[in-house]
Amino acid sequence: LRTICEYATEIFSHGSGGMTLKRTIAGFTLPVLIKVSTIAVRPIVPRKVDPARSVISVFVINLMNGQAEASMWNVLFWITQLFVAINSVAKSFLQESEERFRYYYTISSPQAFIIAKLIYSVALQCIMSLLTLLLFHLLLGSPLANNLLFTALAALGGTSLSIVFTFLSAIAAKAQQNASLMAILGFPIVAPILLILSRLALKTMNTVVVNGWWGLFMILILLNILIIGLSLILFPFLWKE
């Protein structure tokens, strides 16, 4: 099916029919979003989802540190979250071939495609975040005073990291400087997110009031909205390449 679509695309691209076909297909945003979510995600799930990495990371921390203090437990959790995001979500675009991108270009608009990728990355990272939290509870104990709030923060943190690395993965894949470019672009964005998440999580470990907690929470939400907005605005330019 992919070979046939590529052949048809090659034929249409030499005439005016190609542009008409692309405009027609790009108009069906909602059906294409569902279709891209199914087609683009299904073939790459076995290669990207590797819960063993979370298990190994938490187990090594347990061997090296044993029962961690509350502050150290908090730091280790978010660092583990960062490496899980890098190894699972950050490769969203890097593992796609040029032929597959060419096929997506014929059936989808850029906005529908990036939204589908973001939805998948957020779902994957949230699952991995909950798995990591469960392993931390089993192997390192739990210093949490409010488990429900920390679980919500873990899901929010997974959402933030997945949005950032999906967007950076799209840029790095087109620039053909995968590892170096992601490291350069990712650090100034991810570092503030991790600091905010670590600060927010302190409220779940004691009953002391954390000053400015709601302000930090809103900043994190606004950062997520800003990155999603930038993805929708900038990705169409990458899509044309």
Side-chain angles (χ1 to χ4, degrees):
L1 176 61
R2 186 173 64 187
T3 304
I4 295 173
C5 292
E6 291 170 1
Y7 182 68
T9 305
E10 187 68 22
I11 293 175
F12 275 106
S13 64
H14 290 85
S16 60
M19 295 303 296
T20 304
L21 177 65
K22 290 175 184 177
R23 292 194 194 101
T24 303
I25 294 176
F28 297 95
T29 304
L30 183 58
V32 165
L33 174 60
I34 299 173
K35 188 171 184 179
V36 172
S37 300
T38 305
I39 297 176
V41 167
R42 184 173 54 193
I44 58 177
V45 170
R47 291 182 297 172
K48 294 173 63 179
V49 179
D50 189 4
R53 300 189 182 189
S54 297
V55 177
I56 293 173
S57 299
V58 179
F59 183 69
V60 170
I61 292 173
N62 181 44
L63 291 178
M64 296 177 63
N65 195 54
Q67 185 71 31
E69 297 180 356
S71 58
M72 182 61 66
W73 192 96
N74 185 33
V75 172
L76 292 176
F77 177 81
W78 295 114
I79 292 177
T80 303
Q81 286 290 87
L82 173 62
F83 284 104
V84 169
I86 292 174
N87 285 284
S88 58
V89 174
K91 298 179 182 179
S92 177
F93 285 88
L94 302 182
Q95 294 181 345
E96 297 283 3
S97 63
E98 288 294 330
E99 292 78 11
R100 187 176 292 274
F101 274 122
R102 195 176 298 118
Y103 168 58
Y104 294 152
Y105 188 79
T106 63
I107 66 170
S108 171
S109 65
Q111 289 82 6
F113 185 79
I114 190 63
I115 290 174
K117 283 286 190 180
L118 288 172
I119 291 174
Y120 169 72
S121 298
V122 168
L124 173 62
Q125 185 61 28
C126 285
I127 293 173
M128 299 297 290
S129 299
L130 296 178
L131 175 61
T132 305
L133 180 58
L134 177 62
L135 292 173
F136 264 70
H137 277 284
L138 294 176
L139 299 178
L140 300 178
S142 175
L144 302 177
N146 191 333
N147 288 283
L148 184 60
L149 179 58
F150 190 88
T151 302
L153 287 176
L156 177 61
T159 300
S160 302
L161 293 175
S162 63
I163 291 173
V164 170
F165 281 112
T166 300
F167 179 50
L168 295 181
S169 178
I171 298 175
K174 291 301 180 182
Q176 297 181 354
Q177 298 290 334
N178 301 342
S180 58
L181 187 61
M182 285 192 64
I184 294 172
L185 295 178
F187 178 77
I189 302 176
V190 172
I193 291 177
L194 291 177
L195 291 174
I196 293 174
L197 289 170
S198 178
R199 178 72 175 173
L200 291 175
L202 292 178
K203 184 176 180 179
T204 67
M205 298 183 178
N206 50 60
T207 57
V208 178
V209 176
V210 178
N211 294 326
W213 192 91
W214 284 107
L216 292 174
F217 180 80
M218 292 304 302
I219 290 174
L220 186 60
I221 296 296
L222 291 176
L223 278 176
N224 292 339
I225 296 174
L226 176 62
I227 296 172
I228 292 175
L230 289 175
S231 300
L232 294 176
I233 295 172
L234 299 179
F235 184 74
F237 296 98
L238 297 174
W239 189 250
K240 294 178 182 179
E241 298 294 329

